[in-house]
Amino acid sequence: MSNGVTDRVALVGSEQGLGIDPDLPIASAALREAGLAVDVVRWDDAGVDWAGYDLAVVRSCWDYAWRLEEFLGWAETVPRLRNPVEVLRWNTDKVYLRDLERAGLPAVPTAWNPTGADELPDSGEWVVKPSVSAGSRDTARWGTPAAVLEHVAELTGAGRTAMVQPYLASVDALGETAMLFIGGGFSHAVRKGPLLAPGEGVRQDRDSRGDLRPAVPTTEQRELAQAVFDAVPGLADVEGSPLYARIDLVQDADGRPAVLELELTEPSLFLPQAPAAARSLVRAVEAELALTRGRSPAAPPR
Ligand SMILES: Nc1ncnc2c1ncn2[C@@H]1O[C@H](COP(=O)(O)OP(=O)(O)O)[C@@H](O)[C@H]1O
Ligand SMILES: [Mg+2]
């Protein structure tokens, strides 16, 4: 609430996401407690008047992976969207990992659309995934170049971009560390357990929120995540930092942190694992509302 006007905020999900995203009830309750009028809506609900919101915040639009053009087309039509459509456009295809590498930021080594065993990264086990995906859909761990190349051919045959990475054994031992940024600064870290079992092949029903626990990142992880976060405006060609970001780090073969994924579209924020983060989200949304309305925030950002 500001100047006697109640700001209207949309938290945007998909049919599936709205039902099961554990962040949504926490985020909506915190925003309402702060005096905002909050609707939780589907991005593909034709009945929604997007111009009627002071801010629309993309959350669990988990079906974008197979509806990408439709999703980005929708995002173009929303006047005050976070993250903005330019960021979504850049971030919904993991080819952005190349931009990170070009910027000198370490990403998991990736071969793009390899056609022969000699083009695979040096490893005894590999991960194959489409460059547009979420929730480990169409993703698998393989132990032979033949299996890798067959999966790659399936993906490229369907017009998709295939990525092949070494399977990082550290994921089995240490998992991945999700570094959450909310409102321009680091918020919290969560450790995610491994998802791909050997010999399992492609599965569409993995629960990527199964094994989660709060984590304390190392200085090296903090520094890398911050550098990646700071690089986003330049790489996505936008002004200002994103409202939310999640940077998933793994340990590479040399024991150094590397970026597995940079999630600026619909990252789970793991609010149930970080009780203070909902408050950060409220402050971040209030700051965005102040910006979009050309007002100064009620309180200085903390
Ligand atoms: N190179 C890799 N080494 C080990 N595990 C991996 C690798 N790539 C992906 N995985 C596993 O697969 C999951 C999904 O892959 P990810 O790149 O995060 O894509 P998305 O989450 O968008 O589906 C990861 O959370 C991780 O458990
Ligand atoms: Mg992931």
Side-chain angles (χ1 to χ4, degrees):
M1 189 102 78
S2 183
N3 300 346
V5 183
T6 300
D7 283 314
R8 297 188 65 216
V9 174
L11 296 180
V12 190
S14 59
E15 179 181 19
Q16 183 209 17
L18 289 190
I20 59 175
D21 177 1
D23 289 339
L24 275 177
I26 299 174
S28 54
L31 291 165
R32 284 184 186 125
E33 212 167 288
L36 301 168
V38 180
D39 289 341
V40 180
V41 288
R42 279 171 62 162
W43 70 269
D44 57 354
D45 181 342
V48 175
D49 172 21
W50 298 102
Y53 290 106
D54 299 289
L55 199 69
V57 182
V58 175
R59 297 290 42 252
S60 36
C61 299
W62 295 334
D63 51 359
Y64 83 80
W66 57 97
R67 300 171 67 180
L68 185 58
E69 282 315 309
E70 198 187 341
F71 176 69
L72 293 175
W74 161 79
E76 296 277 2
T77 69
V78 183
R80 289 164 292 278
L81 186 68
R82 296 294 181 276
N83 285 327
V85 62
E86 295 80 8
V87 169
L88 305 184
R89 194 173 285 289
W90 177 71
N91 182 245
T92 39
D93 189 325
K94 289 188 177 75
V95 294
Y96 65 70
L97 287 177
R98 290 171 168 166
D99 295 340
L100 293 183
E101 281 186 330
R102 271 194 288 267
L105 297 160
V108 173
T110 305
W112 305 87
N113 293 336
T115 53
D118 56 325
E119 293 170 41
L120 303 186
D122 212 14
S123 187
E125 253 192 316
W126 297 266
V127 174
V128 179
K129 53 186 144 184
S131 70
V132 178
S133 184
S136 77
R137 285 180 65 88
D138 300 315
T139 297
R141 169 178 179 177
W142 302 111
T144 65
V148 168
L149 294 170
E150 191 180 324
H151 189 178
V152 167
E154 259 171 50
L155 293 172
T156 55
R160 305 174 78 177
T161 299
M163 305 167 61
V164 181
Q165 299 176 334
Y167 185 88
L168 295 170
S170 66
V171 172
D172 287 336
L174 306 170
E176 52 188 300
T177 305
M179 306 285 289
L180 281 302
F181 287 73
I182 299 177
F186 176 70
S187 169
H188 60 285
V190 169
R191 175 201 181 276
K192 298 197 270 181
L195 278 180
L196 309 179
E200 176 183 65
V202 173
R203 279 180 57 176
Q204 311 294 24
D205 60 344
R206 295 190 188 99
D207 181 4
S208 51
R209 286 168 311 287
D211 176 14
L212 301 170
R213 56 194 82 160
V216 180
T218 63
T219 305
E220 226 186 349
Q221 288 173 323
R222 278 293 297 269
E223 285 172 357
L224 173 54
Q226 189 67 50
V228 171
F229 184 78
D230 291 343
V232 166
L235 294 174
D237 199 14
V238 291
E239 269 176 45
S241 53
L243 175 64
Y244 52 80
R246 199 186 73 219
I247 298 161
D248 293 335
L249 299 179
V250 290
Q251 190 174 296
D252 71 12
D254 302 323
R256 321 287 308 251
V259 177
L260 179 67
E261 191 177 2
L262 164 59
E263 246 293 3
L264 302 167
T265 304
E266 30 70 284
S268 291
L269 298 176
F270 303 131
L271 298 182
Q273 283 75 24
R279 192 54 215 142
S280 306
L281 184 64
V282 170
R283 281 199 297 270
V285 165
E286 286 173 340
E288 292 282 353
L289 286 167
L291 274 179
T292 58
R293 291 207 155 184
R295 305 187 299 239
S296 47
R302 274 154 284 175

